């Protein structure tokens, strides 16, 4: 049966896979256990050199809901875009994403799908939690939800950790996301920018207050990786693009986006200062310091009423007491050192 003649699927779950053989079986088991029948799972093997490709093929052979695609290594964004293209060929009405080392709650698809349809919005999301091993105990999924109407849902995307930047704790109407949004020339914060653009197109978001997505922490997970210079450039670029694309009809959202941008500068400077090899990032730190210094007295940046007090203090310390602030960062900010 070809994609053109296959039955339409209500939801397509897209899983980019690259050298994830150690965790992929657990991810696939959680997907197979979904208490929602009308979905397909598109596994996009992105040039894996371990057993991931074989695991994808085996899943497709043993369960008709799974589809295996293989491509030369092109990165997670290109893999997601390829998955979306196949989802459209499958006639999917909704899109969801899962990383190959993570797990869905068994009611993830059912709960978000019900909330989005009942609220008549093209977008739903839930909280996530983190785990190592074993997976966390599953709490019951809620029967209710809260609707974040525009621009509240955009505010939440920027500032509410429960909504978060990730693509993986959300359900999207298929027409809300385009392949160009996903493959946006960023290697870091690519999901934040894609979400911002999708949220701009949505009149609101249904928020389901439960940990529907389980994010695995391990040595190769994003929160434990080194800090490549491209990460600093991409994160700053994403924040700049967000700040420059707020619709004129939402001046309060512009204030919020300005605060988000300035907070990102301060955060990235702290990421550098906490490292033992901070001198290797002196060009990036210099550029960030110029931006932080220029914004200290700016009512849209350093004196923005939406800016948290702790960020104001950190910005001041970055500019006026850099040696002391570096010592503080090295002592108290332990991740990615």
């Amino acid at each position: 049966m070809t994609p053109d003649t296959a039955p339409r699927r209500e939801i397509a779950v897209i899983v980019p896979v690259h050298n994830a053989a150690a965790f992929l079986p657990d991810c696939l088991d959680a997907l197979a256990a979904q208490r929602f029948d009308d979905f397909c799972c598109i596994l996009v093997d992105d040039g894996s050199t371990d057993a991931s490709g074989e695991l994808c093929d085996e899943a497709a052979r043993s369960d008709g809901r799974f589809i295996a695609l293989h491509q030369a290594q092109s990165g997670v964004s290109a893999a997601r875009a390829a998955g979306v293209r196949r989802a459209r060929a499958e006639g999917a009405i909704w899109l969801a994403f899962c990383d190959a080392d993570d797990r869905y709650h068994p009611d993830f698809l059912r709960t978000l799908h019900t909330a989005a349809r009942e609220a008549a919005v093209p977008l739903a999301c839930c909280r996530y939690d983190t785990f190592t091993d074993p997976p966390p105990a599953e709490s019951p999924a809620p029967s209710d939800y809260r609707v974040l109407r525009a621009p509240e849902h955009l505010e939440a995307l920027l500032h509410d950790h429960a909504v978060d930047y990730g693509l993986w704790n959300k359900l999207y109407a298929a027409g809300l996301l385009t392949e160009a949004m996903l493959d946006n020339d960023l290697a870091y914060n690519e999901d934040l920018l894609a979400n911002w653009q999708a949220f701009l197109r949505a009149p609101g978001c249904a928020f389901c207050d439960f940990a529907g997505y389980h994010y695995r922490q391990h040595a190769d997970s994003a929160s434990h990786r080194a800090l490549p210079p491209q990460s600093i450039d991409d994160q700053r670029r994403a924040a700049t693009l967000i700040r420059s694309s707020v619709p004129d009809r939402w001046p309060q959202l512009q204030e919020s986006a300005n605060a988000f941008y300035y907070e990102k500068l301060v955060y990235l400077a702290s990421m550098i200062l906490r490292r033992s090899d901070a001198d290797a990032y002196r060009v990036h730190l210099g550029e960030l310091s110029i931006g932080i210094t220029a914004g200290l007295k700016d009512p849209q940046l350093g004196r923005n009423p939406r800016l948290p007090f702790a960020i104001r203090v950190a910005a001041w310390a970055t500019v006026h007491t850099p040696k002391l602030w570096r010592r503080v960062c090295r002592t108290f900010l332990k991740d990615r050192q």
Side-chain angles (χ1 to χ4, degrees), residues 34-35 104-115 125-127 137-145 207-214:
Q34 285 297 291
R35 291 192 275 257
Y104 275 174
H105 184 289
D107 284 317
F108 175 85
L109 293 178
R110 181 187 64 81
T111 302
L112 270 62
H113 181 260
T114 298
C125 71
C126 64
R127 290 188 289 106
E138 303 289 11
S139 57
S143 58
D144 59 349
Y145 54 86
F207 177 73
C208 305
D209 192 9
F210 81 120
Y213 190 89
H214 306 311

Side-chain angles (χ1 to χ4, degrees), residues 169-238:
N169 64 331
K170 299 173 179 69
L171 180 72
Y172 306 85
L176 199 63
L177 276 172
T178 68
E179 293 88 327
M181 287 180 189
L182 293 167
D183 198 1
N184 54 24
D185 200 33
L186 296 179
Y188 302 87
N189 272 189
E190 77 289 345
D191 45 359
L192 167 61
L193 184 58
N195 266 318
W196 174 259
Q197 293 170 339
F199 275 49
L200 279 173
R201 302 175 72 184
C205 174
F207 177 73
C208 305
D209 192 9
F210 81 120
Y213 190 89
H214 306 311
Y215 184 98
R216 188 188 299 270
Q217 297 282 292
H218 57 87
D220 294 326
S221 60
S223 60
H224 290 88
R225 293 174 193 158
L227 184 67
Q230 186 182 357
S231 170
I232 301 168
D233 294 335
D234 282 0
Q235 290 187 64
R236 188 174 181 183
R237 182 179 166 201

Side-chain angles (χ1 to χ4, degrees), residues 51 93 100 102 133 144 147 149 174-175 185 200 223 243 270 277-278 292:
I93 300 170
D102 297 339
D133 280 309
D144 59 349
V147 180
R149 296 292 179 189
D185 200 33
L200 279 173
S223 60
R243 184 188 181 200
S270 78
D277 61 345
I292 294 169

Side-chain angles (χ1 to χ4, degrees), residues 266 308-318 321 325:
V266 177
F309 178 75
I311 301 301
R312 294 171 188 249
V313 172
W316 186 93
T318 300
T321 59
W325 183 237

Side-chain angles (χ1 to χ4, degrees), residues 53 69 80 189 204 211 269 314:
L69 305 180
R80 287 171 176 154
N189 272 189

